[in-house]
Amino acid sequence: MDERAVLQALRSYRLERRLRRAQGTLGAELGHRAGSSLEFHDYRAYQPGDDPRRIDWAVYGRSEELTVRLFREEIHPRLDIVLDGSRSMALADGRKPALALELCAFAWHSARLQGSAVRVHVAGEKLLSGEQPPSAPPGDARSLLFDAPGSCARALRGGGLRIVISDFMTEGSVHAAIRELSAGAAQLVVLRTLGPWEASPSIAGALELLDAETGAQLAAQLAEQSVARYRSRLARLSDSLRASCRATGARFADVICDVPLLDALRRDLLPAGVVTPS
Amino acid sequence: MSASFSMAYPLGLLGLLALPLIWWLHRYVVKAERREVSCLALWVDREQVRHEGAQRQRVPDRVVLALELLAALALCALLAGLDLPGAAAPRPTVGLVLDGSASMAGGRQGARPIERVRAVLAQLAREQPGLHVSIVLAAERPELLGERVLSAAAADRVLAELEPRGSVCNLPPALELMSALGVDAQSTWLFSDDPELVHPRLIRVGKPDANAAIVHADWRPGESPFVVLRRFELDPSSRDASLPIRLQLEIDGARQSTTVQVPREGGQPFQLPVDGRAREVVVTLPADALAFDNQVSLLRPLERRVSLRSEQLSQPLQAALAHALRAIPKLQPTASPSADLVVRENPSAAAREPSLVFLTQGSKPASFAPQPLADPFAALLSGFDGRDLLWFAFERAPVPGARVLLQSDPQALIWQHGDGVFVNADLAQSNLLAHATFPIMLTNLADELDLARGGLPRSNFRQGERLRFEPPRAASGEVAVQSPSGKSWRFERGQPVELGLLSEAGEYALQAGAQKQSFSVQLLSEAESELRQRKPADARLPEIATSARAPGETRSRLRVPLLLLLLAACVGAYWLLGGGWKRAGLNPAPTKRADA
């Protein structure tokens, strides 16, 4: 992971945090619930115990009903970054392992700079939660993100922003993972990292393909037809992923890991509205 | 594992060379470029798999490589001589090395060393049920008695029939043989009655006893047979007692027996009064501790003569030759034209038969030949000593191609060409006829001629002598020799008769075509006979430990793993040769259906 590239990216871009129903600790950003900010939120009838200073006396003068003014709450939105810890994320294909870590670090720094409470969850064979972004990919044989997405989602805090960084290269159900992770989140951002070869494989003749996670092997002839079939399967997987994101209101961005972080933010994340220029 | 298992065996060594070759093939030939992918499922056509059958994964190459290497290794082991049935054979737990000298069978009934060995073995068998034994006899050459591994009962039977007849106990080769049989050194025990033998594993089984022995006996042509007796008594005063010996003579097929009193003084040759017609003389001492040295059997010596004829000899040479013939029994003067050797002086023509030619005349006066030098490889001049020899020779060159046997540079004195031996000497000035060189040369010449005729050289030998001779020239068929115990040798026609060291005492039979002969080998070992009168034997028997390793337990374990290994190697080879992807049906390319 290139720390300088992360710092350079932080100078250019920041994480977009316009959340629909964000929750968080008392902070500087408006939440969607009533709070104590200066931003008007709503009226409601006075109830015993309400602060008399909140009674709108003008309304009482017009209608002789005690009405209390409510204001928007001010919060620090929570951010949960979920990083796929399976071995495929550590696959040496372009800058895939490094860029995933850099994206994680960028999101962590950007959110912290904006006052958010950030937690990082690495979903390998176990879900490892921490306050700091990981420095190296764990490379486990399987990922809880797809094997048990429900248990993974329960470990996350509700009402916050969630960023999932994964290649979604799994035989498991991608839709189930997106649905579970989006449930209870103010906003889910799905970043799919793909290596340049797996995004667009070349015709390479005889190859022995080895599944990085299961260890299964396949002696293959990468002819034009077989590569075309692979691309169509990958496209189907991408369509399915996008459909799931649309259905749950998640933002989705494909990150091809063949460029530095700054270029990837400009090329892939900025159009998807995941980052904004700072 | 058999004792012959060795990876340095040529076939095993060649097999080992296959290991790096297999690795190289896997590394650079068999193995395709490998690429890791995130999800193999994206490369698999599920619908196609559904049609073609269940998905199967190919055995990983590293497993196949390991199986192939193991298979090659197992093959190497087999080629190197690994013998699983042999390895599973029971291993002996106790090794017994027996003194192979004749004294082990000596002594009175019930007190013989060999019987004490049997008692030790019986005690071991009682203490260790299921005992296995290996027995090696330490004679001049080590000999394994019975099978490699014997039960206690079988070993006792072997010992009961054993009659050591050797003259020495050669221990190191016997211990090496026992070690080669797989018996641990701490499980090997030595049994001997030799009081001077020292070894940490020795059990002394001899007892002191008085003994009288025939330590030398011979019968030479033209002489009476003689024996040399020694008396090894515990009590020196008893040596003064007279010792009767019995003579058995075989004369014209009939046996005569007589008794002779041996003089008190031992160690001197004692000539036996024997009739001149006797074919065999058997000398027997009274029974004592050691039976084998109490009897010798002497056969009438073979009359091997070389006939000699002289032609046109000068008076001095004729006189010297007659004088020499009286001292050399093997040479027999004859006037027959078919003599074995002809002695000539200054002949006018070359002779065809073997001849000794004296060239005593020359065109120029003879000159002194100082310091004659003999060919060290010439058997004819074996024993030549040129001291005090005055040799005057004529200036004469040998025949081309002749071998010079004696020369005084540059003058040739004696040379050999064909069957003739030529002596260049001026007998008038030389002292050759009065010097030992003359009879030595005649004797050697007679021996060579006699040896060339082949046949048995003598009729009486000592145990341990090496016997080798050419087959009789007149023999038409093969030569067969049979030992006293029935062991026989056969030699093809024309092949030399090589019996090696004569280890067995007794009368041997030799048949060459229709000709039959006998020769006798005597057990005459003074040192062996003397064993009877030395230090007393150890009375206590030490505790004997058997090997902790159970028979065949360790190495027979190899059988099942090796068989499993070979089975696994077969499965691996099946997968490799069959090609895993063809069965898997997952690869789009190899099948037409996938590429279509």
Side-chain angles (χ1 to χ4, degrees):
Chain A
M1 186 178 67
D2 190 351
E3 295 280 355
R4 288 185 180 180
V6 175
L7 296 176
Q8 188 181 2
L10 285 171
R11 282 196 289 270
S12 303
Y13 297 98
R14 62 197 290 260
L15 196 62
E16 174 58 58
R17 298 194 307 165
R18 285 180 296 186
L19 307 179
R20 290 174 300 176
R21 301 180 302 276
Q23 295 178 15
T25 57
L26 193 62
E29 295 190 21
L30 292 174
H32 71 277
R33 293 186 295 189
S36 57
S37 68
L38 297 177
E39 187 84 11
F40 175 75
H41 180 59
D42 202 356
Y43 289 102
R44 72 166 170 80
Y46 173 82
Q47 292 176 354
D50 283 342
D51 187 354
R53 287 175 293 182
R54 299 284 180 92
I55 296 173
D56 191 336
W57 296 109
V59 173
Y60 177 75
R62 289 196 295 270
S63 63
E64 292 186 351
E65 288 183 4
L66 285 175
T67 302
V68 178
R69 290 184 67 162
L70 300 179
F71 298 90
R72 294 274 293 275
E73 64 176 349
E74 287 183 330
I75 59 168
H76 283 311
R78 303 181 189 120
L79 174 62
D80 287 289
I81 304 172
V82 181
L83 178 64
D84 184 357
S86 66
R87 202 169 291 156
S88 65
M89 290 294 287
L91 199 64
D93 184 7
R95 298 191 68 247
K96 186 177 179 182
L99 196 58
L101 294 174
E102 289 170 4
L103 284 173
C104 181
F106 170 80
W108 185 85
H109 282 292
S110 180
R112 287 291 295 263
L113 288 173
Q114 296 174 60
S116 294
V118 187
R119 295 194 74 185
V120 179
H121 309 272
V122 179
E125 291 177 349
K126 294 177 180 177
L127 189 68
L128 301 175
S129 301
E131 302 293 336
Q132 300 289 329
S135 58
D140 286 348
R142 46 197 286 269
S143 173
L144 275 185
L145 196 57
F146 306 108
D147 290 350
S151 65
C152 189
R154 280 193 293 276
L156 307 180
R157 296 167 296 181
L161 175 63
R162 291 175 184 173
I163 298 178
V164 181
I165 304 173
S166 172
D167 56 3
F168 291 94
M169 291 286 194
T170 177
E171 291 186 74
S173 172
V174 173
H175 181 70
I178 299 296
R179 189 182 64 233
E180 292 287 347
L181 290 173
S182 65
Q187 180 71 59
L188 176 66
V189 176
V190 176
L191 303 180
R192 185 175 70 164
T193 53
L194 288 178
W197 192 85
E198 64 189 1
S200 178
S202 56
I203 299 169
L207 272 183
E208 183 143 320
L209 301 179
L210 174 69
D211 193 304
E213 294 175 9
T214 64
Q217 295 181 25
L218 181 70
Q221 292 283 340
L222 291 198
E224 192 176 344
Q225 292 88 347
S226 48
V227 170
R229 266 192 292 275
Y230 169 80
R231 284 180 175 154
S232 70
R233 291 184 200 111
L234 184 63
R236 281 207 297 273
L237 179 64
S238 302
D239 292 344
S240 165
L241 194 56
R242 286 194 184 91
S244 297
C245 289
R246 273 198 302 275
T248 56
R251 292 180 186 173
F252 173 78
D254 252 339
V255 181
I256 308 301
C257 304
D258 55 349
V259 291
L261 174 64
L262 190 60
D263 296 337
L265 294 178
R266 183 186 307 121
R267 185 187 66 187
D268 300 327
L269 270 58
L270 187 59
V274 178
V275 295
T276 55
S278 56
Chain B
M1 200 175 294
S2 65
S4 61
F5 173 74
S6 168
M7 275 294 180
Y9 194 68
L11 287 177
L13 205 59
L14 281 176
L16 281 179
L17 293 179
L19 298 182
L21 181 64
I22 291 174
W23 178 84
W24 184 86
L25 284 173
H26 266 265
R27 178 70 179 82
Y28 296 106
V29 178
V30 176
K31 186 178 176 184
E33 186 185 349
R34 175 174 289 184
R35 174 147 210 131
E36 274 191 319
V37 295
S38 298
C39 180
L40 199 60
L42 290 177
W43 293 94
V44 175
D45 192 333
R46 290 176 184 281
E47 290 75 19
Q48 198 168 348
V49 171
R50 198 172 298 127
H51 286 300
E52 294 191 1
Q55 174 179 351
R56 279 188 283 172
Q57 290 184 349
R58 184 181 176 184
V59 176
D61 271 355
R62 67 187 68 176
V63 176
V64 175
L65 173 63
L67 289 174
E68 284 178 358
L69 288 176
L70 288 175
L73 203 59
L75 187 61
C76 293
L78 290 176
L79 290 175
L82 177 65
D83 181 15
L84 287 179
R91 289 172 53 80
T93 53
V94 165
L96 308 182
V97 177
L98 305 185
D99 184 345
S101 60
S103 61
M104 286 289 285
R108 290 179 177 78
Q109 187 71 27
R112 291 175 178 159
I114 199 71
E115 289 170 351
R116 187 159 167 77
V117 177
R118 291 178 64 190
V120 171
L121 181 61
Q123 177 186 340
L124 277 175
R126 283 194 302 273
E127 294 173 356
Q128 303 278 340
L131 181 73
H132 290 86
V133 183
S134 284
I135 307 176
V136 169
L137 191 66
E140 289 168 353
R141 281 176 288 187
E143 181 185 354
L144 175 66
L145 300 180
E147 300 293 328
R148 187 174 75 89
V149 181
L150 296 168
S151 65
D156 186 65
R157 283 196 296 274
V158 168
L159 292 178
E161 297 171 357
L162 178 65
E163 286 190 7
R165 305 185 74 168
S167 59
V168 295
C169 170
N170 197 359
L171 206 52
L175 291 175
E176 283 184 17
L177 174 59
M178 187 60 83
S179 174
L181 291 172
V183 183
D184 300 335
Q186 60 268 26
S187 302
T188 300
W189 291 92
L190 277 63
F191 295 88
S192 175
D193 61 344
D194 187 346
E196 295 184 347
L197 187 63
V198 177
H199 194 279
R201 315 293 296 175
L202 175 68
I203 300 173
R204 214 178 301 279
V205 289
K207 281 187 175 180
D209 211 342
N211 185 39
I214 302 173
V215 296
H216 192 47
D218 202 358
W219 193 354
R220 295 169 182 169
E223 297 177 359
S224 298
F226 71 91
V227 294
V228 179
L229 304 182
R230 288 285 304 273
R231 300 174 68 176
F232 307 104
E233 302 288 351
L234 298 174
D235 181 9
S237 61
S238 62
R239 292 179 187 170
D240 297 335
S242 61
L243 183 67
I245 61 173
R246 191 160 62 96
L247 299 181
Q248 277 186 306
L249 308 178
E250 183 189 335
I251 302 173
D252 298 333
R255 286 197 172 271
Q256 297 178 1
S257 183
T258 181
T259 302
V260 180
Q261 291 292 332
V262 177
R264 291 177 181 175
E265 299 82 16
Q268 300 296 323
F270 175 66
Q271 285 203 332
L272 302 171
V274 172
D275 190 293
R277 297 169 298 160
R279 189 195 77 86
E280 181 184 13
V281 179
V282 179
V283 184
T284 308
L285 296 180
D288 57 11
L290 189 58
F292 288 100
D293 57 10
N294 290 343
Q295 180 173 315
V296 294
S297 172
L298 294 171
L299 299 178
R300 169 171 287 281
L302 296 174
E303 296 288 342
R304 297 186 63 106
R305 299 294 179 101
V306 176
S307 58
L308 181 144
R309 188 180 80 240
S310 57
E311 289 180 356
Q312 302 169 354
L313 300 184
S314 61
Q315 178 60 30
L317 182 56
Q318 182 68 47
L321 183 63
H323 187 65
L325 290 181
R326 285 196 293 275
I328 306 172
K330 186 170 278 187
L331 286 174
Q332 187 177 24
T334 181
S336 168
S338 60
D340 298 321
L341 176 65
V342 180
V343 180
R344 293 189 175 94
E345 186 173 4
N346 301 315
S348 55
R352 292 183 178 177
E353 63 270 23
S355 57
L356 177 62
V357 179
F358 287 86
L359 305 172
T360 59
Q361 292 176 356
S363 55
K364 295 180 180 178
S367 59
F368 178 64
Q371 297 179 344
L373 198 63
D375 180 352
F377 302 105
L380 192 63
L381 293 178
S382 172
F384 168 78
D385 187 354
R387 284 178 294 186
D388 301 330
L389 178 62
L390 299 175
W391 195 300
F392 285 80
F394 298 101
E395 188 177 345
R396 180 177 280 118
V399 184
R403 178 187 177 192
V404 176
L405 306 181
L406 185 72
Q407 66 177 350
S408 173
D409 198 30
Q411 189 64 48
L413 306 180
I414 300 177
W415 62 87
Q416 189 172 14
H417 182 256
D419 287 337
V421 176
F422 299 85
V423 181
N424 174 20
D426 181 3
L427 296 180
Q429 299 184 70
S430 305
N431 66 348
L432 173 64
L433 299 180
H435 195 265
T437 301
F438 182 62
I440 285 175
M441 188 170 59
L442 283 175
T443 306
N444 290 340
L445 194 55
D447 285 343
E448 275 203 358
L449 291 171
D450 184 35
L451 200 64
R453 287 188 300 187
L456 198 61
R458 286 183 283 138
S459 57
N460 294 297
F461 298 88
R462 288 172 66 96
Q463 194 180 37
E465 272 192 274
R466 183 178 293 277
L467 180 55
R468 183 185 189 280
F469 57 90
E470 295 296 322
R473 191 180 290 173
S476 56
E478 64 178 12
V479 176
V481 181
Q482 190 169 26
S483 74
S485 64
K487 185 179 177 182
S488 62
W489 297 266
R490 288 187 180 277
F491 303 93
E492 291 181 3
R493 183 182 179 182
Q495 295 295 317
V497 179
E498 171 71 70
L499 296 182
L501 293 176
L502 296 171
S503 58
E504 195 175 335
E507 188 170 333
Y508 288 65
L510 181 144
Q511 183 164 6
Q515 183 184 3
K516 292 184 179 178
Q517 285 181 307
S518 298
F519 62 95
S520 180
V521 177
Q522 319 297 341
L523 171 76
L524 302 168
S525 173
E526 185 172 0
E528 183 64 15
S529 299
E530 202 177 4
L531 291 178
R532 301 289 86 199
Q533 56 99 38
R534 292 187 185 173
K535 290 179 285 187
D538 296 337
R540 289 182 62 86
L541 182 68
E543 188 175 345
I544 294 182
T546 55
S547 174
R549 186 159 50 182
E553 180 190 356
T554 305
R555 291 177 180 174
S556 61
R557 284 188 194 136
L558 287 174
R559 178 193 292 264
V560 173
L562 270 177
L563 288 177
L564 289 177
L565 186 65
L566 286 174
L567 185 64
C570 290
V571 173
Y574 168 76
W575 270 94
L576 183 70
L577 295 175
W581 65 83
K582 290 182 181 175
R583 287 186 304 280
L586 305 179
N587 178 34
T591 60
K592 291 181 180 177
R593 188 173 173 180
D595 283 336

